[in-house]
Amino acid sequence: MKTYKIALLPGDGIGRDVTEAAWAVLEKTAASSGFSLEATRYPWSCDYYLENGSMMPADGIETLRSFDAILLGAVGWPSKVPDSVSLHGLLLPIRKAFVQYANIRPHKLLPGVQGPLRSQDFDILCIRENTEGEYSGAGGRVHQGTDSEVAVETSIFTRKGVERILRFGFEQARVRRGKLASVTKSNAQKYSMVFWDEITHKLSAEYPDIEVTSYHIDAIAARMVMAPDSLDVVVASNLFGDILTDLGAAIQGGLGFAASANINPDRQAPSMFEPVHGSAPDIAHLGIANPIAAIWSGAMMLEHLGETAAAGRVMAAIETTTARGIGAIPGKDKTDAITASVLSVLG
Amino acid sequence: MKTYKIALLPGDGIGRDVTEAAWAVLEKTAASSGFSLEATRYPWSCDYYLENGSMMPADGIETLRSFDAILLGAVGWPSKVPDSVSLHGLLLPIRKAFVQYANIRPHKLLPGVQGPLRSQDFDILCIRENTEGEYSGAGGRVHQGTDSEVAVETSIFTRKGVERILRFGFEQARVRRGKLASVTKSNAQKYSMVFWDEITHKLSAEYPDIEVTSYHIDAIAARMVMAPDSLDVVVASNLFGDILTDLGAAIQGGLGFAASANINPDRQAPSMFEPVHGSAPDIAHLGIANPIAAIWSGAMMLEHLGETAAAGRVMAAIETTTARGIGAIPGKDKTDAITASVLSVLG
Ligand SMILES: CC(C)[C@H](C(=O)O)[C@@H](O)C(=O)O
Ligand SMILES: CC(C)[C@H](C(=O)O)[C@@H](O)C(=O)O
């Protein structure tokens, strides 16, 4: 029997609650689908930092490298460790080290879920560049603490980095509805974003079957609210993708429903699957976090591992559950009740 | 009789259509309010660029400096002149030269206008930093055209720049509902945005009466859609404010309803008033652009000039017009019909 080795990183706060829920669903699915999943849990988190002075051990990345995939809960607990430390010590280094350059986030309404928009009709796939751009981490501060202090933060875009994420976007558009929205702000950022636009333009010649439109980030943010059905695949930089996918989560009813995959498309290193939501310290360990985003992320993991039928079964179980009204209304059902429902639908 | 000297910059596309509409309303209001407005029109635009090789004359900024205020339509016509040239040649230099560091944009629903959200209940004032940050224009490209090309774009934040916009935000919150949302992305941008957070924290001690909350840009974008009534005054950097105000325009029913003011709070140079929408070349000069955003921006100009009662009359005339269903549904009424209605309500 095929066995997949999965690194489980529950992380902080509700990350722990929802990762165990997702894991229960994945194990049950595997058992009845003819493959097995083997978990190794790592307690890397803000608590780990308080004890050890780092978010993960020095060989953390090397430890993770041997796995088939990583399932992550959430990272961060600002009152224990500043986000700028915790995220740069765990989540962001993994995305970068394993060249998980495509962060994929699907936005559509699950049955029974009511979003905040009048319009309920959309099916958007956001693809976010995940390794460089506005989150390169390059910058500094001078004259610190004085009236003349200046802080700079430099966005770095490489041709290789931009080209590969755009290509990934074109390929996704090809297996969906053939429309690609490329997001920039080239009217105000004339180095980085003009560069992105030029590469989009160049690649579009190679994909004559794809209808490409360039949007400014402000305009497409408005469009996601006013005409979300006009969008198919959206490809954006690290920051712009970050913003658009929270907006996507909002129109799909909330962060409890937003799944994501950090993909290394060349499969030279493990990919990582995580709900879009954060660790939500205020509701941690109360048993009330919605595990649907984490379970959906788990389904994306199965899909990535090639277990397409099993991934489909998980999605169907989620959809049956929310269609019955369970987990469909933020705050109504407990983590356990939602998980139990998904498990029982799985049979 | 008090006379205000106004520079009219209709600019490009529908900017021309809506500026004349707004001007008609402002002149009529002035005539019955005991002051007068004197317009000087400047044709600076993409057409001007094609003839003269620049978006405005070399002494353009000096020419504008002597006015009491500037009323601008919209700048840009990408098929004639790249946005990265036109905007950096006219709109952005004015904002910077006249230290119009506070870009103010009100977001609420006009009567009779149906927004895309189920929830109709919000009244948000966005304040966008308007002179530095992500739109500083600093950057460059190396190895251009080769596989190893790298583009960098540097955001520059000064203590003076951040402090003054935050202070402006605190003051606005004081005359509104006492709540200030400060927007960053300090978990991923650890130089610029941590700096912004520190200054927010420092200033909050001076404003103990104001309830301050720091939001990440992704989280507040989602919040504007899911719980817009939870926000009062929102203060953000140049880019983040740009995105949030298009989103604000979306939830208020579209760009045809979104007004803005580029304010020099120290009044050492003229302030500039402009609708948030762009030049919309596709519908230019068809007589179908909605002039409401431009007229509302004109009301903000009167307010800034100290003509509060006259500003109130313009707003009341807009509200009566949309409450009657005129101009309330995007695309339904012609520019002239909407303007005529506002004029007739003014009496
Ligand atoms: C926590 C934060 C650094 C992270 C990001 O911006 O990448 C999160 O917002 C996300 O969207 O995955
Ligand atoms: C046209 C563009 C440069 C401008 C900006 O981003 O400042 C516009 O989007 C705005 O919001 O005023």
Side-chain angles (χ1 to χ4, degrees):
Chain A
M1 189 161 59
K2 177 122 204 172
T3 299
Y4 300 99
K5 289 169 56 204
I6 310 298
L8 283 194
L9 300 184
D12 294 298
I14 64 166
R16 301 191 192 175
D17 310 342
V18 300
T19 305
E20 291 309 327
W23 188 251
V25 170
L26 293 174
E27 274 199 311
K28 177 155 188 179
T29 305
S32 57
S33 301
F35 63 92
S36 85
L37 296 171
E38 187 187 296
T40 309
R41 288 175 171 73
Y42 296 97
W44 305 338
S45 60
C46 291
D47 287 337
Y48 182 95
Y49 181 94
L50 294 180
E51 266 178 46
N52 302 281
S54 66
M55 291 295 294
M56 61 176 160
D59 64 352
I61 293 291
E62 283 327 298
T63 303
L64 293 175
R65 195 181 291 278
S66 63
F67 287 89
D68 293 308
I70 302 162
L71 192 64
L72 180 127
V75 178
W77 192 301
S79 65
K80 296 178 180 173
V81 180
D83 277 351
S84 52
V85 171
S86 59
L87 295 160
H88 285 264
L90 184 55
L91 180 67
L92 301 178
I94 297 175
R95 291 180 180 167
K96 281 181 203 184
F98 296 149
V99 201
Q100 294 165 348
Y101 66 79
N103 188 325
I104 311 182
R105 299 179 171 180
H107 301 297
K108 60 187 175 193
L109 279 169
L110 290 172
V113 175
Q114 227 199 21
L117 302 184
R118 283 179 213 289
S119 149
Q120 300 288 297
D121 182 29
F122 53 86
D123 178 357
I124 302 173
L125 187 71
C126 278
I127 296 167
R128 162 183 177 190
E129 201 294 319
N130 215 22
T131 62
E132 54 170 49
E134 304 89 343
Y135 296 173
S136 294
R141 293 166 62 169
V142 285
H143 304 309
Q144 209 153 339
T146 73
D147 279 354
S148 354
E149 181 164 1
V150 176
V152 299
E153 185 97 32
T154 297
S155 304
I156 305 182
F157 290 82
T158 64
R159 182 178 293 277
K160 181 176 162 189
V162 176
E163 222 174 274
R164 69 187 176 188
I165 194 68
L166 281 167
R167 229 175 249 291
F168 191 85
F170 276 103
E171 296 293 340
Q172 293 291 316
R174 202 163 249 180
V175 296
R176 287 178 43 107
R177 302 194 302 281
K179 284 169 60 174
L180 184 70
S182 167
V183 183
T184 60
K185 182 67 194 180
S186 45
N187 53 0
Q189 296 191 319
K190 56 185 174 175
Y191 301 102
S192 58
M193 291 297 161
V194 168
F195 182 49
W196 180 292
D197 274 351
E198 284 173 14
I199 299 176
T200 304
H201 183 74
K202 195 195 92 188
L203 287 183
S204 64
E206 290 178 39
Y207 295 88
D209 51 321
I210 306 300
E211 184 194 319
V212 190
T213 312
S214 288
Y215 293 98
H216 292 140
I217 176 63
D218 48 340
I220 199 170
R223 178 171 287 266
M224 273 185 86
V225 171
M226 301 203 69
D229 58 323
S230 65
L231 298 169
D232 177 10
V233 177
V234 174
V235 60
S237 67
N238 213 334
L239 170 66
F240 293 170
D242 187 16
I243 297 169
L244 291 178
T245 55
D246 259 53
L247 207 49
I251 66 173
Q252 75 188 114
L255 284 163
F257 304 109
S260 89
N262 301 276
I263 300 282
N264 174 321
D266 313 322
R267 294 177 184 264
Q268 285 152 353
S271 292
M272 177 166 66
F273 301 83
E274 51 160 339
V276 176
H277 62 67
S279 59
D282 51 319
I283 60 160
H285 319 320
L286 299 179
I288 58 174
N290 192 333
I292 295 220
I295 300 172
W296 187 344
S297 304
M300 294 177 82
M301 182 179 87
L302 296 183
E303 176 86 45
H304 179 75
L305 293 171
E307 299 294 348
T308 308
R313 290 182 56 220
V314 174
M315 284 313 296
I318 291 175
E319 286 170 4
T320 303
T321 296
T322 58
R324 289 182 184 156
I326 300 166
I329 299 171
K332 188 175 134 284
D333 301 300
K334 302 243 170 196
T335 314
D336 280 353
I338 302 169
T339 311
S341 168
V342 176
L343 288 169
S344 93
V345 176
L346 279 171
Chain B
M1 189 161 59
K2 177 124 202 165
T3 299
Y4 300 100
K5 289 169 56 203
I6 310 297
L8 283 195
L9 300 184
D12 293 298
I14 64 166
R16 301 191 191 174
D17 310 342
V18 299
T19 304
E20 291 309 325
W23 188 251
V25 170
L26 293 173
E27 274 199 312
K28 176 154 189 179
T29 305
S32 57
S33 302
F35 62 93
S36 84
L37 296 171
E38 187 187 297
T40 310
R41 287 175 172 74
Y42 295 98
W44 305 338
S45 60
C46 291
D47 287 338
Y48 183 94
Y49 181 94
L50 294 180
E51 265 177 48
N52 301 281
S54 67
M55 291 295 295
M56 61 176 159
D59 64 353
I61 292 291
E62 284 327 299
T63 303
L64 293 175
R65 196 181 291 277
S66 64
F67 287 89
D68 293 307
I70 303 162
L71 191 64
L72 180 127
V75 179
W77 192 301
S79 64
K80 296 178 181 173
V81 180
D83 276 352
S84 52
V85 171
S86 59
L87 295 159
H88 285 264
L90 184 55
L91 180 67
L92 301 177
I94 296 175
R95 291 180 181 168
K96 280 180 203 183
F98 295 148
V99 201
Q100 294 165 347
Y101 66 78
N103 188 325
I104 311 182
R105 299 178 171 182
H107 301 296
K108 59 187 175 194
L109 278 170
L110 290 171
V113 175
Q114 227 200 20
L117 302 184
R118 284 178 211 289
S119 150
Q120 300 288 297
D121 183 27
F122 53 86
D123 178 357
I124 302 172
L125 186 72
C126 278
I127 296 167
R128 162 183 176 189
E129 202 293 319
N130 216 21
T131 62
E132 54 170 45
E134 304 90 341
Y135 296 172
S136 294
R141 293 166 63 169
V142 283
H143 303 309
Q144 208 153 340
T146 73
D147 280 354
S148 353
E149 181 164 1
V150 176
V152 300
E153 185 97 32
T154 296
S155 305
I156 305 181
F157 290 82
T158 65
R159 181 178 294 277
K160 180 175 163 194
V162 176
E163 223 174 274
R164 69 187 177 188
I165 194 68
L166 281 167
R167 230 176 249 291
F168 190 86
F170 276 103
E171 297 293 341
Q172 293 291 317
R174 202 162 249 178
V175 296
R176 287 180 40 108
R177 302 194 303 280
K179 284 169 60 175
L180 183 70
S182 166
V183 183
T184 60
K185 182 66 193 182
S186 46
N187 54 0
Q189 296 191 319
K190 57 185 174 176
Y191 301 102
S192 56
M193 291 297 160
V194 168
F195 183 50
W196 180 292
D197 274 351
E198 283 173 16
I199 299 175
T200 303
H201 183 75
K202 196 195 92 190
L203 288 183
S204 64
E206 290 178 39
Y207 295 87
D209 51 319
I210 305 300
E211 184 194 318
V212 190
T213 312
S214 288
Y215 293 98
H216 291 141
I217 175 64
D218 47 340
I220 199 170
R223 178 171 288 266
M224 273 186 84
V225 170
M226 301 203 70
D229 58 323
S230 65
L231 298 169
D232 176 11
V233 177
V234 174
V235 60
S237 66
N238 213 333
L239 170 65
F240 292 171
D242 187 17
I243 297 169
L244 291 177
T245 54
D246 259 53
L247 207 48
I251 67 173
Q252 75 189 111
L255 284 163
F257 304 109
S260 90
N262 301 277
I263 300 283
N264 175 323
D266 313 322
R267 294 176 184 265
Q268 285 151 353
S271 294
M272 176 166 66
F273 301 83
E274 52 160 339
V276 176
H277 63 67
S279 59
D282 51 320
I283 60 160
H285 319 319
L286 298 178
I288 58 174
N290 192 333
I292 295 218
I295 299 172
W296 187 343
S297 304
M300 294 176 82
M301 181 181 88
L302 296 183
E303 176 86 45
H304 179 75
L305 293 171
E307 300 293 348
T308 308
R313 290 183 56 221
V314 173
M315 283 314 295
I318 290 175
E319 286 169 5
T320 303
T321 297
T322 58
R324 290 181 184 158
I326 300 167
I329 299 170
K332 189 175 135 286
D333 302 301
K334 303 244 170 195
T335 313
D336 280 354
I338 302 169
T339 312
S341 168
V342 176
L343 288 168
S344 92
V345 176
L346 279 171

